[in-house]
Every structure is written in C-alpha cells, then in structure tokens.
Amino acid sequence: MQDLFTEDEQMLQESVRRFMRAEVEPLVPQMQAEGEPPRSLLKRMGDLGFLGTCFDGAYGGSGASLATQAIVSEETARVDAGFDLVLFADIMLFARAIAKHGTEAQKQKYLVPVLSGDRIGAMGITEPGGGSDALGIVTRGRQENGGWLVKGAKTFVTNAPTADFFLIIARTSDEESRIDGGTWFILDRGMEGLATGKPFNKMGMRSSPTGEIFLEDVRVGEEQVLGQVGRGFHMLMDSLDVERVMVGASTIGIAQACLDEAAAYAQERRVFGKAIREYQLIQEKIANMATGIEMSRTMLYRLLRAVERGEKVTREAAILKYYSSRMLTEVSAETVQIWGGAGQLEDNKTARLYRDGKHHEIGAGTNEIMKVLIAKETFKEMGYGRK
Ligand SMILES: Cc1cc2nc3c(=O)[nH]c(=O)nc-3n(C[C@H](O)[C@H](O)[C@H](O)COP(=O)(O)OP(=O)(O)OC[C@H]3O[C@@H](n4cnc5c(N)ncnc54)[C@H](O)[C@@H]3O)c2cc1C
C-alpha cells in the first residue's frame, strides 16, 4: 500500500516504526504499571520531531502533511494504544486547537513546549452529566473585573492527572441556539481553584492517565481565552471531523497489532499434528481481519488527503470511526480466540489489545452517536430536509 504515501512519508513511517520497536516497546510494561508514559519519552519524541510533524516550523513542527500525524499514531498504537491516546490528547486535541485558533503569544507559551515534549496538554469537554451531549455542558465562565471566573467540572479527560495545560470549554452565555455561547479557556496547572483527581482505574488504555478537572472559580485574564468568545462550540464542531479521522489511525494501529499476533500464533501453534493456520476456520478469521484493516486504512488515508485539500468530511469521518472501531472490536476478540487459552493470559499482548480496543467505540463520540450522524448526513446529502 505504499502508493498511499509520498517518499518522505514512507521514510517517516520506517523511522517511527524502528523507534517504536527499539525505544517504546521495552517501556510498555512500565507504562502499563505506572499508568502513564515517562516524561523523558515525550521529550525524546519531541527531539526527534515526531510530535509536531504536521505543525508549522515556526513553533517546532516540520510543516509536513496531516497524514504524517496519522502515520505516527498508527505506529504508536501498534505498540501501545494507551501511549498513543496520551499523544492524541496532547497533540491532536490540545496543540492542534492552539495552532489553529491561538494568538502568537498563546502559541509561544503553549504550543512550542508541547511540540518539544517539555509540557503536556489536555482537553476537557466531557462533564459528569454526560459526554455525548457536548452542548449540554454546565461549566460556566462569567466576566468579572476585566477577566473571567470559570466554575464547573470536567471528567474522563485524558492526561488530566498529569497535564501542565488544560483547554476547557465553558458556557459563557445562554443563547437561544445551544451551539452559540460556548468559550474555550486555556488553564495552567497551579492556577488557584484548579485541581485534578486521581487517575481512573480503567479496563484498557492503561498507559494513559484519565481523570477529572475541578474548577472552583478559577480567575483568568482575557489572554487565556482561545479564539472568539461565544464561538467555542462552533470551533469544536469544526475540529471533530479531523479528530475522528485520526482516531481511525489509532484504531488501525491496534488492529494491525492484533493481526501481527494472530498470524504469528497461527503459524507457530500446532494442534492435531499441524499448524492451526492450515485450518480453514482459522484462515477465515485471518482473512476477515486483513479485509477490515485494509478497507479502513484505505479510507483513512483517502480522507486525510481530502482534509488536506480542505474538503468537508463529516459523514465519511463518522463512517470511518464507526466502521473501523467495530472492526477492531471483532478483530481483537478473534485474536484472543486464535490464541485459545493463552489468549486469556494477562502476560500476553492479546489481552491488552482486547481491552484497549474497546475504547474507540466510545471515545471521541460513541458509535451510537456516529450512526445518528451518518444517517443525518446521508439524508442531507440525498437532498431530504429535516422532518
Ligand atoms: C479512556 C477515555 C478517554 C477519554 N478522553 C477524553 C478527553 O480527553 N476529553 C474529553 O472531553 N472526553 C474524554 N472522554 C470522554 C468520552 O468522549 C465520552 O465518554 C463519550 O463522549 C461518551 O460520553 P459518556 O461517557 O458521558 O456517555 P453518555 O453520553 O452518557 O452515553 C451513554 C450511552 O448512551 C448512548 N447515547 C447517548 N445519546 C444517544 C442518542 N442520541 N441515541 C442513541 N444512543 C445514545 C451512548 O452512545 C452511550 O452508549 C474519554 C473517555 C474515555 C473512556
């Protein structure tokens, strides 16, 4: 499938793959046990230019295609999906928003240290009252003495327990249309009134710390507002398509790791006197896995090129997220099945892949929400108005 990539992208893929095998794979047991990657690993990736491949060179990026970020994500998730989730929140959610909407001062203060791997960012939308209804948030920002007071709580935020910087959305006015009246605030750890909770004990994605952010009248100046006051939900909706496409990269990375494990075991394991890969029921599983992965990967890079050309991909991004995450849930279950009893052992990677894979049917918009969106956009595309 090398025709998907330019020569530079192929070279990046090879060097990231080598780096992951040599420097990240040995750290996986430590990251799983500690629930977070070592800071030195982010710094190392920053030094190698792997964090900011698609960002502007003026802020420490390499100015390459968006597809390069997907290449890094796919290769990272193939080795440790939790670590990839840390990078997703840090780079695709936090850094990308600052790069797109930040002032020059905000980019210098927040984007540069994140792309160099010196600091970690997080983005909080989800609240204890729910995540699917993003416009239903109750965290409030109100103007006072030329600044803002932010009050509320966020939950299920990737990197919240460890992040240095937090990008959170609050409702700053009650408009008739719920999409209006949201505003983003950039907050620093250590600000008075800001606290984070303990990392959640999750079934998967254990290398990534997830938790709450508590905001008790956090006082910030106008310089902490990201983008236009009241336009926050519009900014959010504009960024969701790309984020969902990028979740596809992570999904495919985990599924590829499943296929790596499944094929190797099918080759090695002998039952009734021959390798299990010779049984057609096992071949069918491998065929289904390979088909799902290749269909998803082709769609992923096709969509990334469309995004690079500035095209709108709302419907297709939701299709990719829904299809590939479903595919991963099946692929990871079939991998455990091929491994038989050994697939049940925590010491084998298959168990981790099975636990990690489930996340992508939930995070960044659940599959139910993806299906609602796909149907809505399909009716729209076919010229049927709202009933
Ligand atoms: C490991 C992890 C990391 C995360 N990282 C972040 C992060 O960095 N930042 C952040 O802001 N959030 C993050 N999230 C939160 C995530 O985005 C939410 O969990 C997700 O959006 C779903 O929200 P919820 O959990 O509140 O489920 P709910 O919204 O309470 O939904 C519950 C169930 O109802 C279904 N449902 C809801 N509405 C409908 C409908 N209209 N039709 C049919 N079914 C419906 C849902 O699909 C789901 O099955 C993370 C979550 C996890 C698990």
Side-chain angles (χ1 to χ4, degrees), residues 1 252 288-302 320 323-324 327:
M1 295 298 287
I252 292 160
N288 285 341
M289 287 184 192
T291 304
I293 292 169
E294 288 312 330
M295 297 292 282
S296 302
R297 187 178 280 131
T298 304
M299 186 167 192
L300 166 69
Y301 289 99
R302 194 191 126 231
L320 174 68
Y323 175 82
S324 62
M327 175 276 291

Side-chain angles (χ1 to χ4, degrees), residues 85 89 93 123-126 130-133 155-158 202 205 210 359 362-366 368-369 372:
L85 189 58
L93 301 185
M123 179 189 270
I125 306 160
T126 306
S132 301
D133 182 13
T155 191
F156 278 107
V157 178
T158 301
K202 306 191 297 297
M205 298 294 192
T210 315
H359 170 268
I362 296 166
T366 65
E368 288 74 18
I369 297 299
V372 169

